[in-house]
Amino acid sequence: MSNIRHILRLHTQNVGFFEIINQTGILRATLRRHINDFENSGLRFEEINELSDKDLEELFLKPEEKPIDVRLQTLLNLFPVMDKRLKQKGVTRKILWEEYFKNNPDGYGYGRFIQLFSKWRSRPTPILHKEHKAGDKMYIDFAGQKLTIIDEPTGAVRNVEVFVAILGASQLTYVEAVMSQQKEDFIPACENALQFYGGVPGAIVCDNLRAAVKKTSRYEPSINETFFDFGEHYNTAILPARVYKPTDKAPVEIAVRIAYTRIYTKLQDQRFYSLEALNQAILLALEEHNNQIITGKEWSRRQKFNEVEKAALLPLPFLRYEFKKLAFVTVPKNCHICLPVDKHYYSVPYNFIGKNIKILYSNVKVEMFYHYECIAAHKRDRQAYTYTTVNEHLSPAHRFITELTSDRFLSNAGEIHPDVKRYISIILEGQRHRDQAYRICIGILGFAKKVGNARLTKACQRAASYGTYSYLIVKRYWRKGWIWRKMMTMT
């Protein structure tokens, strides 16, 4: 702008074109354009000299207006949709161009299309800087590259998954090798990470793998029930990242890349014959990584964790999480559902017959749920084809049968009279089969409701005096006593 001011000053002082060119080194065409703009503005040099550099730039350095290329604009409007389609399986740039050229016969050729599309995709994308609060989030993911262990008896090489977790504020990292990405390995790895940190963050940010997310959604994804139960046990929230949005879990993405250079490289020349041996080697390399001073900082990840983040974590619960599996069954008429894995039967309340209930079972406990309410819980029994029964789950009639015992009969008889109890005890001892004795005792004690305790007592005393012990004898004697008293009252 100072050069333009100098040119206009010389021009107003009637200095010739060639002299101005010699003094400023400006091109002749540029000089003529500046002078024409000055004359067309209608302003004096003093007024122009008082303008700011920005106003002066708008006045003399106007960008040349180019005509809008309709063909180019049409293609640029299609690029966002094409970019999304390119992420689908089987879609290539060649297919996208063929569809574009079919709908736009006067459009660009394949070579120019690829050039413009690549330039559009390489445009700069702004990134939001996030401040990670201490104890707020733990980011987890599985590494893309796998490690290997060797089966010593057969010599077969088996690939294993690598689980990575990192805390946002201190960047303290945890790495563990597991056999798979299934719930049986994924959830224990998450729990080991919490034990490694010695506390629980406010939320766990995970990828959309099947072991964590049942149904993906941009706004409210459905969490896998077992993983949700894990979060409830540790009082932490589960926050799945958005699909195709790795920036939502950027810290763990970076941690995975660092693990490739600082952990994988130290293990590549070693051979491991068990998962435990591999994890021990990983832990040694991990400690070195966490204790190393961060580039450009004056502290290590471990130091910042101890100073800032450790105290901000929630305390671990007293008991560790018990991994639970899920099963669905329909309650049969006998009120006992079968746990398929053990072939063992557990009772549930009889009023749930015919209902489809959910079973959550761990190594030590089996729980039954209906409409999110726990209706029964049992200690796990692995003995096949046997039954675990709670009497309160049975119907009243069935509960009465199951609660029949000799002690109960003797107790009820003793409440009537000692002679009745003595008579019942002889019946219990004298019958060959328990059910036969129980049936007789039920009949005899049932007389108390019909004729009263006094008449039943006399009938048992009279039957015992004759050395006879049966239901019919007692019935005969209390009937005879009733007939005799009836005749005496009539006379």
Side-chain angles (χ1 to χ4, degrees):
M1 294 302 103
S2 60
N3 196 26
I4 292 178
R5 297 177 194 275
H6 182 53
I7 290 171
L8 297 180
R9 184 182 294 107
L10 293 177
H11 175 68
T12 55
Q13 293 173 359
N14 297 323
V15 178
F17 268 36
F18 292 105
E19 183 63 26
I20 294 176
I21 293 172
N22 291 333
Q23 289 188 26
T24 61
I26 194 172
L27 295 177
R28 183 174 180 176
T30 306
L31 175 62
R32 187 175 297 278
R33 188 176 71 250
H34 288 335
I35 292 176
N36 289 338
D37 291 341
F38 169 65
E39 293 175 350
N40 294 333
S41 67
L43 301 174
R44 295 179 291 106
F45 172 73
E46 290 75 10
E47 295 175 339
I48 289 179
N49 197 35
E50 292 178 356
L51 296 175
S52 64
D53 288 347
K54 182 179 180 181
D55 295 335
L56 194 62
E57 181 181 10
E58 293 178 355
L59 184 61
F60 288 94
L61 298 180
K62 296 178 182 179
E64 297 182 4
E65 295 184 0
K66 297 182 180 180
I68 299 176
D69 190 340
V70 178
R71 186 174 60 163
L72 178 61
Q73 191 63 40
T74 301
L75 181 60
L76 292 176
N77 293 336
L78 294 174
F79 279 162
V81 179
M82 291 181 178
D83 189 45
K84 290 183 179 180
R85 288 201 58 205
L86 194 61
K87 296 175 182 178
Q88 299 176 2
K89 183 178 290 187
V91 179
T92 63
R93 298 188 183 194
K94 181 74 172 178
I95 294 176
L96 294 176
W97 174 79
E98 289 175 351
E99 294 177 356
Y100 157 74
F101 199 75
K102 182 179 180 180
N103 297 326
N104 301 274
D106 58 342
Y108 292 100
Y110 179 67
R112 182 60 175 164
F113 170 83
I114 293 298
Q115 184 182 12
L116 292 173
F117 191 38
S118 300
K119 184 178 180 180
W120 180 84
R121 295 194 76 190
S122 63
R123 69 195 187 285
T125 304
I127 298 176
L128 175 66
H129 172 70
K130 295 181 180 179
E131 289 290 341
H132 298 283
K133 297 181 181 179
D136 185 33
K137 293 178 182 177
M138 179 180 76
Y139 300 85
I140 60 175
D141 199 3
F142 281 97
Q145 298 181 19
K146 301 180 181 181
L147 295 174
T148 59
I149 59 175
I150 301 173
D151 186 14
E152 194 168 8
T154 62
V157 178
R158 181 172 183 178
N159 292 328
V160 294
E161 303 286 346
V162 178
F163 172 84
V164 181
I166 185 172
L167 293 176
S170 63
Q171 301 179 34
L172 189 68
T173 308
Y174 175 77
V175 181
E176 179 184 354
V178 295
M179 298 305 298
S180 69
Q181 294 188 18
Q182 301 299 318
K183 290 184 294 185
E184 293 80 358
D185 298 311
F186 169 66
I187 293 180
C190 294
E191 185 175 25
N192 291 338
L194 298 180
Q195 298 293 330
F196 176 79
Y197 294 130
V200 182
I204 298 177
V205 181
C206 61
D207 205 351
N208 286 272
L209 69 163
R210 291 290 297 176
V213 180
K214 184 167 57 176
K215 185 177 180 181
T216 60
S217 172
R218 182 180 180 88
Y219 304 104
E220 192 174 0
S222 298
I223 310 300
N224 183 285
E225 292 184 359
T226 307
F227 195 39
F228 179 80
D229 186 52
F230 168 81
E232 289 293 305
H233 179 81
Y234 282 99
N235 195 25
T236 184
I238 307 298
L239 300 178
R242 294 171 296 173
V243 180
Y244 299 120
K245 295 293 183 181
T247 54
D248 288 357
K249 51 182 181 66
V252 74
E253 297 284 346
I254 298 173
V256 169
R257 292 200 296 268
I258 295 176
Y260 291 153
T261 59
R262 296 190 179 178
I263 296 178
Y264 278 55
T265 54
K266 296 181 179 180
L267 306 178
Q268 60 185 3
D269 296 331
Q270 303 181 45
R271 306 182 75 181
F272 302 97
Y273 296 94
S274 67
L275 200 62
E276 292 75 14
L278 175 59
N279 281 323
Q280 288 179 2
I282 289 176
L283 189 60
L284 293 176
L286 182 64
E287 283 302 311
E288 183 178 346
H289 162 69
N290 285 327
N291 292 321
Q292 183 175 345
I293 301 298
I294 300 176
T295 304
K297 309 292 183 180
E298 297 180 354
W299 35 262
S300 66
R301 293 171 174 82
R302 177 67 70 179
Q303 289 174 343
K304 189 170 183 180
F305 171 77
N306 292 332
E307 294 174 2
V308 177
E309 196 153 24
K310 186 175 183 179
L313 295 175
L314 299 174
L316 290 168
F318 179 74
L319 296 176
R320 295 190 64 159
Y321 175 74
E322 290 182 354
F323 176 73
K324 298 177 181 178
K325 294 185 179 181
L326 180 67
F328 289 92
V329 297
T330 300
V331 181
K333 291 184 178 180
N334 66 355
C335 308
H336 287 75
I337 57 97
C338 177
L339 185 62
V341 67
D342 296 332
K343 304 297 182 185
H344 189 86
Y345 295 83
Y346 300 91
S347 66
V348 296
Y350 71 94
N351 52 327
F352 291 97
I353 292 175
K355 306 294 184 181
N356 189 25
I357 66 172
K358 178 175 66 176
I359 305 176
L360 285 178
Y361 59 98
S362 64
N363 289 331
V364 296
K365 194 175 183 180
V366 179
E367 297 174 299
M368 295 78 169
F369 292 85
Y370 182 72
H371 287 176
Y372 309 103
E373 180 183 357
C374 182
I375 60 175
H378 299 273
K379 184 179 179 181
R380 186 171 179 182
D381 190 341
R382 299 178 187 272
Q383 187 175 358
Y385 306 110
T386 55
Y387 287 75
T388 298
T389 304
V390 176
N391 285 341
E392 287 74 11
H393 293 166
L394 304 178
S395 64
H398 294 166
R399 193 184 310 163
F400 173 77
I401 295 174
T402 58
E403 291 176 353
L404 292 179
T405 61
S406 299
D407 293 338
R408 181 176 179 181
F409 285 120
L410 293 173
S411 175
N412 293 341
E415 294 176 359
I416 298 173
H417 195 274
D419 291 337
V420 178
K421 181 178 180 181
R422 191 176 304 110
Y423 193 84
I424 291 295
S425 65
I426 295 174
I427 291 177
L428 290 172
E429 295 173 358
Q431 300 300 325
R432 293 184 177 182
H433 196 275
R434 180 192 63 179
D435 290 347
Q436 186 181 19
Y438 285 179
R439 192 173 297 180
I440 296 173
C441 292
I442 292 173
I444 293 174
L445 295 178
F447 288 142
K449 295 182 180 179
K450 298 179 179 179
V451 301
N453 293 344
R455 289 178 63 185
L456 174 61
T457 302
K458 290 182 179 181
C460 290
Q461 291 172 348
R462 189 172 182 185
S465 65
Y466 287 98
T468 55
Y469 301 93
S470 72
Y471 164 79
L472 295 177
I473 295 300
V474 174
K475 182 177 181 180
R476 182 187 305 167
Y477 285 143
W478 75 255
R479 274 185 176 275
K480 285 185 177 180
W482 176 79
I483 293 172
W484 179 77
R485 282 193 297 274
K486 191 71 173 175
M487 293 176 62
M488 292 296 292
T489 56
M490 291 176 64
T491 57

